[in-house]
Amino acid sequence: MTAIRLGMIVPSSNTTMETEIPAMLRAREEVAPERFTFHSARMRMQHVDPEQLRAMDDQSLVCAEQLADADVDVMAYACLVAIMAHSPGYHRVSQRRLSAVAGKAPVLTSAGALVEGLQHLGAKKVSVITPYMKPLTGTVCEYIEAEGVEVQDSVSLEVSDNLAVGRLDPADLVDIAAKVDTSGVDALVLSACVQMPSLPVVQRIQDSFDIPVVTASVATVWRTLRELGLEPVVPGAGWLLADRS
């Protein structure tokens, strides 16, 4: 079978997206016939602050043009906060801008994938965990709420260096998830950041909750598979990618 080529537009300091997304799609290969290859273009960013995020986003069009040269089958803008820190609803604007230079490849964003995944789940109220400084977490929560999903509680780990975010221990999320207020919410966003590692504990935490547990990376894979017209199923990746057949 010919491999499906997935193009990823990622921050230069991102060390997680090219680990977690391939891991999920490799796990999918155990239950589905597709095969995937992964191709990245990078935007310069070291610190997660509004200035660097805006400057990085300006580079995304060049990255999309480069990935189009590889004739990828789908393209994912894999930085949630760069979109959400821009302006409410900006994932739609970004997708239109990138699509204009992406050739035939459909384009999605991690930011759009997360809010669309929550809407797909019918979530009206959520709690959110982020690695960001509190003001930036507030911006992310406002973005989610502008899409019609109330944020009841949020936890900010307050790590501004993007490399340090990638070095956070995902096992710590087990205790953090137990402490965040999830009473009455419809879903828990375990990691509202594609750089904060979470995949090793997603299913473990999902199994301890009776509500969906999702992450930005999981939502990106869910949206990618739907964009390709494939059943969005990945073993061990939580509610959004569970096999409901």
Side-chain angles (χ1 to χ4, degrees), residues 183-198:
S183 58
V185 305
D186 303 306
L188 170 63
V189 180
L190 185 67
S191 175
C193 174
V194 295
Q195 171 73 332
M196 185 166 77
S198 56

Side-chain angles (χ1 to χ4, degrees), residues 43-45 49-61 77 82 86:
M43 309 168 287
R44 190 75 192 277
M45 189 269 279
D49 59 55
E51 293 75 20
Q52 287 204 21
L53 290 171
R54 189 172 292 273
M56 182 191 72
D57 182 62
D58 289 341
Q59 303 167 50
S60 63
L61 292 175
Y77 186 135
H86 195 285

Side-chain angles (χ1 to χ4, degrees), residues 13-92:
S13 52
N14 188 292
T15 55
T16 303
M17 202 63 171
E18 292 147 311
T19 301
E20 293 199 343
I21 284 188
M24 281 185 267
L25 292 174
R26 293 288 181 242
R28 176 184 168 80
E29 290 177 359
E30 299 174 9
V31 297
E34 305 90 27
R35 298 294 178 265
F36 295 85
T37 63
F38 306 93
H39 314 275
S40 299
R42 310 187 86 78
M43 309 168 287
R44 190 75 192 277
M45 189 269 279
Q46 294 170 295
H47 297 282
V48 188
D49 59 55
E51 293 75 20
Q52 287 204 21
L53 290 171
R54 189 172 292 273
M56 182 191 72
D57 182 62
D58 289 341
Q59 303 167 50
S60 63
L61 292 175
V62 173
C63 290
E65 290 176 326
Q66 293 170 345
L67 289 171
D69 291 345
D71 195 27
V72 296
D73 296 295
V74 63
M75 200 178 295
Y77 186 135
C79 183
L80 177 140
V81 71
I83 297 292
M84 291 194 174
H86 195 285
S87 58
Y90 183 67
H91 65 277
R92 299 179 185 87

Side-chain angles (χ1 to χ4, degrees), residues 209-228:
F209 280 85
D210 59 2
I211 56 172
V213 174
V214 301
T215 75
S217 296
V218 164
T220 301
V221 169
W222 170 81
R223 190 70 185 87
T224 296
L225 291 170
R226 284 170 62 94
E227 198 67 60
L228 292 166

Side-chain angles (χ1 to χ4, degrees), residues 43-191:
M43 309 168 287
R44 190 75 192 277
M45 189 269 279
Q46 294 170 295
H47 297 282
V48 188
D49 59 55
E51 293 75 20
Q52 287 204 21
L53 290 171
R54 189 172 292 273
M56 182 191 72
D57 182 62
D58 289 341
Q59 303 167 50
S60 63
L61 292 175
V62 173
C63 290
E65 290 176 326
Q66 293 170 345
L67 289 171
D69 291 345
D71 195 27
V72 296
D73 296 295
V74 63
M75 200 178 295
Y77 186 135
C79 183
L80 177 140
V81 71
I83 297 292
M84 291 194 174
H86 195 285
S87 58
Y90 183 67
H91 65 277
R92 299 179 185 87
V93 177
S94 176
Q95 286 167 201
R96 287 196 297 269
R97 294 175 68 227
L98 295 171
S99 294
V101 298
K104 67 177 180 61
V107 178
L108 61 107
T109 70
S110 293
L114 180 61
V115 296
E116 289 161 12
L118 293 174
Q119 291 163 349
H120 173 78
L121 292 170
K124 301 299 184 183
K125 184 185 296 186
V126 300
S127 292
V128 176
I129 300 170
T130 88
Y132 311 130
M133 306 303 287
K134 288 182 179 179
L136 199 51
T137 296
T139 298
V140 167
C141 293
E142 289 170 3
Y143 193 101
I144 293 171
E145 291 194 324
E147 295 294 322
V149 181
E150 179 184 346
V151 178
Q152 172 168 288
D153 190 27
S154 64
V155 173
S156 304
L157 302 185
E158 299 199 88
V159 181
S160 63
D161 181 276
N162 206 40
L163 278 177
V165 172
R167 295 186 180 115
L168 293 171
D169 186 350
D172 292 341
L173 288 171
V174 175
D175 288 337
I176 296 168
K179 294 174 183 175
V180 66
D181 180 10
T182 57
S183 58
V185 305
D186 303 306
L188 170 63
V189 180
L190 185 67
S191 175

